[in-house]
Each structure stands twice: as C-alpha cells, then as structure tokens.
Amino acid sequence: MIPRRKTRQVKVKNVLIGGDAPVSVQSMTSGYTHDIDKCVAEINKLAGAGADIVRVAVPERKDTEALKEILKQVSVPIVADVHFHFQRALEAVEAGVHKIRLNPGNIQDRAQVEKVIDACKDKGIPIRVGVNEGSIVERKDKQKRLKELGGVFSNNKHGHMLAIMVTKLEEYLDIFYARNFYDITISAKSIDPLMVIDAYTEISKRFDHPLHLGVTHAGPKETGTIRSVVPLGHLLASGIGDTVRISYANDPIYEVQDGLELMYILGLRTRKGAELIGCPTCGRIQVDLFTLIQQVNNALKLEISVPIKVAVMGCIVNGPGECEGADVAIFAGDKRGIIYVQGQKVANVPEGDKVVDILPPDPIGELGSGYAKIEAERAEGSLSLPVMKG
Ligand code: SF4
C-alpha cells in the first residue's frame, strides 16, 4: 500500500476527500448544464461508470437556475465550475450544489471572493482553488515574492511558473484563512506533464489541503492518456493526490474508466469488476488473439462487479504461468483454447467453437455468477475462439 501524504479532509456531500479517504475519481459533463434532461442523463451515466463526483459548468444564470432541478434527479455530489462571475458561485450555492471551483486567475476581487467564501461557509460547502497554468501565465504582480521563490526554484526548469503559481495560491488562500475557512482543495494543472509533477510536488510541501490532480487540456484520448497518467501516476505513487480528474477531448466516460483503472493498478482502490490480462501476441500465435481478447473484453464490460482476474494468452511461453495465476483464463494455442478456472484446466475448446459455453455454470461460487452474467447478456455465438486468418 502506498503511504499517502496527510491532508486536511473535506466533505463533498457524502464523499470525503483527503485524510484517510480513498482517492476519488471525478469527471465533468461535456454538455450544457441548462439543458436539464441531457445534463442529468450525462451525470447519471458518469456516476454509473463509477465517478465519485461530477462537475458541471455554470457560465450563465440559466445554468445555475437549472441546478436546482438537476440536483433533485442525481445522487452523486455535484461541483459547480465557476469562472469570471462570482455571482454564479453564489447562485450555485443557493441552488444546493455540493462544492464550488474558483479560479484565482479570473475571480480576483477580494470582496467578491469573500462573498463566495461566506456563502460556502454558511452551507458547509468546500471550495476548490484551481490555479491552472494557462489562466495565470500573464501575471506580473507580487514581484518581491516571485523574486524570493525564483531563488528557491532557480534550479527548476519551470522555476518562474512555479513561483507564480505558489505566490498566487498564497495570496488567494490568505483571503480564505482570514475568514477562518479551511474546507479547501487545491489544483495546479498544466498541459506540460513535468510541470504538473513539479507544481503538485511543491504545493504538497507548502499546504496541507487535499490536492485535486489533473492535466489541463490533455487533448484526444489517444495521446491524452499518456500525457495524463504519467504525471498523475507518478504523483499518486509518491503519495501525493487525494482526488483526480483525467480530462480528454472525448466522451468523459473514458475519464472515469481510466481514472478508476489508475487507482486499481496503483492499489489505491479495490477493483470492482474484471481485470483483463492479454498477451501482446507475436509470431508464435496460432489463433486470432486480437479478436479473442477484444471479444473477452467486450463480454467483461457487461457489468461484472466481481473483482476477477481474467487472462487471455497466446502460447506456451508465458501462457500457462499467467493462466494458472488468473481466476479465469484462456490459453489459446495449437488451434485450440484451454480454459482454466482458478488455475485448473477445465476444458479444451477447438478453434471456432464457443468459449464461454463450455465454462462450468458456477465454477467457483461467486466468481461463477460473474460469468453467468456474461452468459446471460452476450449475444448468441458472440464469444467464440476466432479462426486465425491467412
Ligand atoms: Fe508471444 Fe506467447 Fe508471449 Fe503471446 S504469450 S506474446 S504468443 S510469446
């Protein structure tokens, strides 16, 4: 188990962030918040995929007006993402939202920030202070502190930006502390993965508030995955980070799926559902393993809630070892597949025959019920040992 940095815990409706709480996974809706039905559907879809917290944008008054109705129809905690207009934060709090996100780069007026703090304090709602690199890059103020921190960070490639971020945070958080408000989380996102690592590492040394990890504008999923999981994985493996949002220019469902997978592989959350291990294939395969792995993967996505380990392997080099260590496995070679359940060979399937049909109906108690579910929901003949082409 990775030892985690001690942070001051906050509560977002029924979800705890920081302290000894598990690292939560967040996402954000991609549609208009004022389109109530679509917004509710998207929130519920993300929650169904495992999102612990969902954020919605509230750029206009009609968005905060929609919140009251939206909140009646969802159970996952909702965060209102506020930029430029502090009134949106006040309206969102009034509507009953569970957390506010403020950007020090675009809501800077002290009196306005104080009004939001007081409203949140009154309702017991936390605030995330999000200092995205992109929104503070032009700041030229706080020259003295920048000079001091510039010396501290002089050996760092991102020294100037780190100094600006830390200075901005110190300045902004002083407003909160002056009003005895400590229900705060912090984010310091950048598009540069190495900057993300440096920023969160430095901030983790200076503040004890829970950290919301993320890479801003990570781009399409194809490249955004690596851009995101490298810094987030590094930080989480170092014990830094209390909640994460992976952001892709794609359906946010992928953000939730990949965020959860990151938690699982780091052992920060207990896996729900199946873990699929598949060999990358090479010149030794004798069945169409890519198709088989995809078929098994699709079948496993059908709401398998049991944490089973499933292996699909292509030959005798690593196949038997991986298969014997898995709960359920297919070792496909020599134009046939051997099915293992809990390390025991239970069947031999010739190429072209259906794989799942030959599994015992309830091979290992509860694990078997997961497979019964696959059986019940998959289309007839959809999971068969594919024939090698060519
Ligand atoms: Fe190649 Fe066999 Fe390894 Fe698969 S398990 S990559 S087929 S050596």
Side-chain angles (χ1 to χ4, degrees):
M1 194 74 178
I2 298 167
R4 300 206 9 237
R5 183 181 74 105
K6 298 249 174 305
T7 53
R8 183 194 286 259
Q9 195 168 67
V10 304
K11 195 172 184 192
V12 187
K13 196 183 178 189
N14 56 340
V15 174
L16 297 170
I17 302 178
D20 55 2
V23 179
S24 48
V25 172
Q26 306 199 22
S27 187
M28 187 167 180
T29 54
S30 56
Y32 296 121
T33 303
H34 59 257
D35 191 340
I36 294 175
D37 290 348
K38 280 191 185 159
C39 186
V40 166
E42 197 174 10
I43 291 169
N44 285 334
K45 186 175 149 196
L46 293 171
D52 300 299
I53 297 168
V54 176
R55 184 158 44 116
V56 299
V58 288
E60 298 181 52
R61 193 180 177 99
K62 60 185 174 185
D63 297 306
T64 49
E65 281 171 358
L67 275 176
K68 228 174 199 161
E69 188 51 42
I70 290 167
L71 289 166
K72 280 186 209 158
Q73 299 183 47
V74 301
S75 54
V76 71
I78 300 296
V79 182
D81 193 55
V82 180
H83 295 270
F84 301 106
H85 306 292
F86 82 103
Q87 296 95 330
R88 296 291 97 77
L90 298 180
E91 292 156 13
V93 171
E94 189 54 40
V97 82
H98 308 110
K99 187 181 176 190
I100 295 288
R101 182 269 166 110
L102 290 184
N103 185 342
N106 57 42
I107 298 183
Q108 296 168 10
D109 181 277
R110 187 176 183 111
Q112 293 181 356
V113 177
E114 285 175 346
K115 280 188 181 140
V116 177
I117 293 170
D118 291 350
C120 288
K121 194 172 183 184
D122 199 42
K123 294 268 174 91
I125 298 170
I127 298 175
R128 168 158 70 96
V129 175
V131 283
N132 281 5
E133 179 189 0
S135 57
I136 60 168
V137 71
E138 297 304 329
R139 290 188 61 86
K140 299 272 188 269
D141 60 346
K142 302 293 167 203
Q143 289 305 322
K144 182 171 172 289
R145 186 65 178 140
L146 285 177
K147 208 171 165 189
E148 288 165 10
L149 287 169
V152 173
F153 296 135
S154 59
N155 290 329
N156 191 297
K157 176 179 164 224
H158 311 285
H160 176 67
M161 183 51 66
L162 287 174
I164 294 175
M165 272 188 170
V166 171
T167 303
K168 187 66 214 164
L169 259 179
E170 285 175 337
E171 173 195 42
Y172 213 63
L173 292 181
D174 278 349
I175 309 175
F176 291 67
Y177 298 156
R179 299 187 97 69
N180 280 322
F181 189 93
Y182 298 95
D183 276 350
I184 300 162
T185 65
I186 297 174
S187 63
K189 301 184 185 182
S190 164
I191 191 168
D192 179 337
L194 296 177
M195 174 69 194
V196 170
I197 291 174
D198 287 344
Y200 280 102
T201 303
E202 291 304 331
I203 286 167
S204 74
K205 294 177 194 162
R206 289 170 167 75
F207 306 97
D208 67 351
H209 302 297
L211 297 183
H212 166 122
L213 304 185
V215 173
T216 194
H217 314 134
K221 179 172 159 47
E222 290 77 6
T223 51
T225 305
I226 291 177
R227 186 181 286 279
S228 301
V229 301
V230 166
L232 268 51
H234 174 93
L235 289 163
L236 290 165
S238 310
I240 297 171
D242 304 279
T243 183
V244 302
R245 187 231 170 166
I246 291 179
S247 39
Y248 295 141
N250 208 321
D251 186 334
I253 205 88
Y254 298 120
E255 303 177 357
V256 181
Q257 289 171 355
D258 288 0
L260 285 170
E261 188 61 29
L262 186 57
M263 298 307 129
Y264 296 152
I265 60 167
L266 290 172
L268 290 166
R269 296 271 291 260
T270 305
R271 183 178 289 279
K272 283 186 191 154
E275 175 182 17
L276 176 58
I277 294 157
C279 91
T281 83
C282 72
R284 294 179 187 85
I285 54 166
Q286 291 174 305
V287 301
D288 177 3
L289 210 72
F290 281 172
T291 305
L292 179 60
I293 289 174
Q294 205 46 55
Q295 287 175 344
V296 172
N297 194 32
N298 291 342
L300 293 173
K301 279 184 187 158
L302 298 173
E303 290 182 34
I304 303 298
S305 57
V306 188
I308 54 173
K309 187 171 173 182
V310 179
V312 180
M313 301 299 291
C315 86
I316 200 158
V317 174
N318 294 314
E322 289 286 7
C323 289
E324 283 167 19
D327 293 305
V328 181
I330 304 168
F331 159 34
D334 195 20
K335 302 209 178 288
R336 60 184 51 251
I338 300 168
I339 310 293
Y340 289 73
V341 174
Q342 296 271 286
Q344 301 296 314
K345 286 184 201 173
V346 297
N348 226 313
V349 196
E351 188 177 64
D353 277 14
K354 276 193 273 178
V355 171
V356 172
D357 276 5
I358 54 82
L359 282 172
D362 188 14
I364 32 182
E366 214 193 345
L367 294 178
S369 67
Y371 264 77
K373 232 176 192 176
I374 298 175
E375 267 289 69
E377 295 191 29
R378 80 193 163 86
E380 176 73 11
S382 66
L383 191 62
S384 58
L385 198 62
V387 178
M388 185 73 171
K389 294 179 190 82

